[in-house]
Amino acid sequence: MTGDAVSERRRPGGRSARVVAAVHQATLEILAEVGYAGLQLTDVADRAGVNKTTVYRRWSTKAALIGDILTRFARTNVATPDTGSLRGDLELLLSGIVEALGDRAIRAVVQAAVTVDVAEDDVRRARAAFWDERFLRSGVIVERAVARGELPSTTDVREFLETAASPLYFRILMTDDVADAAYVAAVAERTVRAFAGV
Amino acid sequence: MTGDAVSERRRPGGRSARVVAAVHQATLEILAEVGYAGLQLTDVADRAGVNKTTVYRRWSTKAALIGDILTRFARTNVATPDTGSLRGDLELLLSGIVEALGDRAIRAVVQAAVTVDVAEDDVRRARAAFWDERFLRSGVIVERAVARGELPSTTDVREFLETAASPLYFRILMTDDVADAAYVAAVAERTVRAFAGV
């Protein structure tokens, strides 16, 4: 098994990368079927066709696997809306969040990330990096709005995006309330009013 | 065991109530120590000094136990702020949320509620009832503000409260960012501006 681990390290684009891809794919499939509560590392290994020992050596807990998938999500390129207006960009951005959270596997990853224990430093770091990356990419919307004079130059980019996104996460994850296009539009309008005062 | 169940039903304020109270208390203690991921019904029974069979008969899953605790939380009387101004009431309300979520047991209950599976109807109902009750109680703040002319009479009470509370839940549960008094004040100010336009 030591030889196995060494060869994985030596060929990061080879067997190791295939194992990671298979395990991630298996995890997302299982999450889509049974959610985070039903996720078991042993089922992930079976589904991925990977030796259980290999899975346990790389991901010691379900949470570690979630952290790894969050890191992969953070690296995934998501197109930033560019409609020419802050309201338009914001509505598209928020609709994208609603759509993503409509995917049970993605929702399960986010739900799992919410329950990360204070002791799981690696997973918390992966989660923090995920949000940093998301806010960095989406921040372009705010910067363009400032350049167009739609928002004051003092606007806190992250607070603006959090204010816009959090009511949707709240409805989808906490209260299970409707988060439809009308709600998205109302949230976008209120966020602009809160920060621009218009 | 049938006799046991019958006697519990016949004396709701007796042994049954004591069992429920002991199990809830044990659950909150264990949640404060190890979080939801580490919660096991068997440990709850041990800690509560209650027969495992009794626990499993009443709460078939960890999620069912969380639903039950949410129902208890919903019935708990929380004082509604009454400072004479919307901003003042809102800051107190939001500070109360931050304080409550600072308690690891309460945070674990909310985290667990976020991960409720779509199939767990009882737990989802308990969660919905919890939020309905919370918004009903806190809605008094909005109604008073409308009466004072601080908010338009058309204000959607629930949307107002969600807009105020969600950025704090987002920071505490999702991003692990600072939710201090300055952030609470900024969120309160922005929420009032978003709805009152002032």
Side-chain angles (χ1 to χ4, degrees):
Chain A
M1 276 193 289
T2 307
D4 188 5
V6 168
S7 77
E8 282 181 33
R9 284 193 202 102
R10 281 190 187 153
R11 291 179 293 126
R15 181 171 178 270
S16 173
R18 286 197 302 275
V19 164
V20 169
V23 165
H24 284 185
Q25 179 59 28
T27 303
L28 291 171
E29 285 175 20
I30 294 173
L31 286 173
E33 289 162 15
V34 296
Y36 184 64
L39 182 72
Q40 302 289 348
L41 285 181
T42 178
D43 296 336
V44 169
D46 284 347
R47 175 84 60 115
V50 170
N51 195 289
K52 287 183 180 55
T53 314
T54 305
V55 170
Y56 281 102
R57 191 171 52 217
R58 200 181 270 265
W59 300 277
S60 56
T61 63
K62 296 198 311 184
L65 192 46
I66 294 295
D68 213 28
I69 287 176
L70 278 174
T71 302
R72 178 179 137 181
F73 281 1
R75 287 183 192 138
T76 306
N77 201 0
V78 177
T80 307
D82 190 6
T83 63
S85 82
L86 176 58
R87 281 278 295 279
D89 287 354
L90 207 47
E91 287 191 27
L92 273 188
L93 182 76
L94 299 180
S95 302
I97 291 172
V98 172
E99 195 185 337
L101 291 175
D103 179 314
R104 196 182 177 200
I106 293 178
R107 196 167 65 246
V109 171
V110 176
Q111 287 170 323
V114 166
T115 64
V116 167
D117 198 86
V118 283
E120 293 167 312
D121 279 341
D122 289 357
V123 189
R124 290 174 78 206
R125 266 195 295 273
R127 184 176 69 175
F130 168 79
W131 288 112
D132 286 349
E133 183 63 28
R134 274 287 171 275
F135 287 126
L136 188 69
R137 285 174 193 264
S138 306
V140 177
I141 288 173
V142 182
E143 286 156 19
R144 283 199 224 105
V146 169
R148 283 190 301 255
E150 292 180 280
L151 286 174
S153 61
T154 52
T155 306
D156 184 305
V157 173
R158 186 148 176 159
E159 290 194 14
F160 180 91
L161 294 169
E162 284 177 274
T163 303
S166 59
L168 298 166
Y169 280 94
F170 192 82
R171 284 210 165 181
I172 295 169
L173 298 176
M174 311 281 290
T175 62
D176 208 13
D177 270 353
V178 174
D180 57 11
Y183 190 64
V184 162
V187 168
E189 187 192 337
R190 283 196 284 261
T191 306
V192 173
R193 198 180 308 127
F195 281 82
V198 293
Chain B
M1 275 193 288
T2 306
D4 187 6
V6 168
S7 77
E8 282 182 32
R9 282 193 203 102
R10 281 190 186 153
R11 293 178 292 127
R15 179 170 178 270
S16 174
R18 285 197 303 275
V19 164
V20 170
V23 165
H24 284 185
Q25 179 59 28
T27 303
L28 291 171
E29 284 175 19
I30 293 172
L31 286 174
E33 289 162 15
V34 297
Y36 184 63
L39 182 71
Q40 302 289 348
L41 285 180
T42 179
D43 295 336
V44 169
D46 284 346
R47 175 84 60 113
V50 171
N51 196 289
K52 285 182 182 55
T53 314
T54 306
V55 171
Y56 281 102
R57 192 171 51 217
R58 200 180 270 265
W59 300 277
S60 56
T61 63
K62 297 197 314 182
L65 192 46
I66 293 295
D68 213 29
I69 288 176
L70 278 174
T71 301
R72 177 178 139 183
F73 280 0
R75 287 181 193 139
T76 306
N77 201 1
V78 177
T80 306
D82 191 5
T83 63
S85 83
L86 176 58
R87 281 278 295 279
D89 286 354
L90 207 47
E91 286 191 27
L92 272 187
L93 182 76
L94 299 180
S95 302
I97 291 172
V98 172
E99 195 185 337
L101 292 175
D103 179 315
R104 196 183 176 196
I106 293 178
R107 197 167 65 245
V109 171
V110 176
Q111 287 170 323
V114 166
T115 64
V116 167
D117 198 85
V118 284
E120 293 166 312
D121 279 343
D122 289 357
V123 188
R124 290 174 77 206
R125 267 194 293 274
R127 185 177 68 175
F130 168 79
W131 288 112
D132 286 349
E133 183 64 29
R134 274 285 170 278
F135 286 126
L136 187 69
R137 285 175 193 265
S138 306
V140 177
I141 288 173
V142 182
E143 287 155 18
R144 282 200 224 104
V146 169
R148 282 190 299 255
E150 291 180 281
L151 286 174
S153 60
T154 52
T155 306
D156 184 303
V157 173
R158 186 148 175 159
E159 290 194 14
F160 180 90
L161 294 169
E162 285 177 274
T163 303
S166 60
L168 298 166
Y169 280 95
F170 192 82
R171 284 207 166 183
I172 294 167
L173 298 177
M174 311 280 289
T175 61
D176 207 14
D177 269 353
V178 173
D180 57 11
Y183 190 64
V184 162
V187 169
E189 186 192 337
R190 283 196 285 259
T191 305
V192 173
R193 198 181 307 129
F195 282 82
V198 293

